[in-house]
Amino acid sequence: MEEENKYAKELDVAVRVVQMACSLCQRVQNRLVSAGDDHVKSKDDDSPVTVADWSVQATVSLMLSEIFGGENVSIVAEEDVQTLTKADSEGLLAAVVNTVNESLAEAPKFGFQSPFGALGTSQILEAIGRCSSHGGPAGRHWVLDPVDGTLGFVRGDQYAVALALIEDGKVVIGVLGCPNYPMKKELLNYPQKYYQITPKLSLSTSATWEKGCVIYARRGSGEAWMQPLIHGDQKLEWPNSATRIQVSPIIDPALATVCEPVERANSNHSFTAGLAQTMGLRTQPMRVHSMVKYAAIARGDAEIFMKFARIGYKEKIWDHAAGVIIIEEAGGMVSDAGGHPLDFSRGVYLEGLDRGIIACSNATLHENIIGAVYASWDSSNL
């Protein structure tokens, strides 16, 4: 019983916080898409960052610190405050402050007491800056990607809020919020912009479409779960609203669907296409922004995710931690291209990664891909 209850509070808080963050993101994305909000900046690597990235990071930081012990909480997260504190970012910073306070005011809807009054600029900058831990092999570290797939976010497409808990180098909790990923697989065939309008429709129509989900798992449970996002004035009913998910049973490569990143900058599409041909994969790849790819495999919408980064690109733990544990507890497998488990104990980066990352719904497909990688690697020029 003690083992079953281990991390129960942490999982409960993480699911509620991610639901809260998704609600924040939906408001910002709606403004971004409909009003052409220009609060989008480019980071040093030319990747975009928005009001939502900083606002989610501040909100999650404030909630976790309030619930789990203030400044002693270790949070590893993607964003810093440098851009926000520049002289030309006053409007952006003001938008972040307003968005965070708007989100905190909603806390009771997600089962939290509202311990904060209206927060000022310095308090919110402090909350963002507090997420500067580097993780490591010892202790407990929350790992957050506030908006994974920001390019998808600004285009009104797929993105994810990813929160994981690492303890002594092992991922023990993973939560993925996917606001634009429909609960039902068949709705993936509809154009994204069609069901973007559903929040503006009646509740009954919106509920029929069931736009958006949160997927989560706890280490060692052998289970992964999914619940719908709440909309409007709904209150979160968790865990009663959750349903169990499992990976696909498909083992025939000819019937398997592969996910790969949309962006060519950090993934070699030609190599993965060659692997697919070698394995006899016949279906068109499912190209999706963000860790939604992990969600797709965990709930059986796809069977394979492959990512082979170009030389010089280093994978960050916040891009994978939550997704890896969810797939594993749903019955799938994740490793590097040499078949080794991903190592989340060595700081911000996935150090020692063998060539790439492979996630599969079962051991048969996993072994086939690793064999194809070894057969094709020397001629890949990666």
Side-chain angles (χ1 to χ4, degrees), residues 18 56 72 74 98 104 118 133 189 202 217 231 242 273 287 299 310 351 353 368 372:
V18 169
V56 168
N72 294 324
S74 171
N98 289 337
L104 293 175
S133 172
N189 296 324
S202 69
H231 300 287
R287 288 185 178 165
R299 70 179 211 183
R310 298 182 184 279
E351 303 287 0
L353 197 65
N368 286 345

Side-chain angles (χ1 to χ4, degrees), residues 112-195:
F112 295 119
Q113 293 184 348
S114 194
F116 307 102
L119 300 183
T121 300
S122 61
Q123 292 165 296
I124 288 173
L125 286 174
E126 180 185 354
I128 297 170
R130 197 182 299 143
C131 304
S132 57
S133 172
H134 289 88
R140 175 176 284 199
H141 310 284
W142 291 94
V143 178
L144 171 69
D145 194 333
V147 180
D148 182 51
T150 304
L151 190 58
F153 179 81
V154 300
R155 292 174 175 174
D157 207 329
Q158 300 291 346
Y159 65 98
V161 177
L163 181 63
L165 178 61
I166 294 176
E167 189 166 70
D168 296 333
K170 301 291 184 183
V171 185
V172 295
I173 286 173
V175 184
L176 279 179
C178 308
N180 286 337
Y181 197 51
M183 287 280 287
K184 297 180 180 178
K185 181 180 180 180
E186 55 266 29
L187 300 184
L188 291 171
N189 296 324
Y190 286 81
Q192 173 69 19
K193 292 187 182 301
Y194 184 84
Y195 60 85

Side-chain angles (χ1 to χ4, degrees), residues 283-305:
T283 57
Q284 285 293 107
M286 179 180 173
R287 288 185 178 165
V288 185
H289 294 281
S290 82
M291 262 188 278
V292 168
K293 294 180 283 291
Y294 281 107
I297 294 174
R299 70 179 211 183
D301 295 342
E303 287 72 38
I304 300 167
F305 164 45

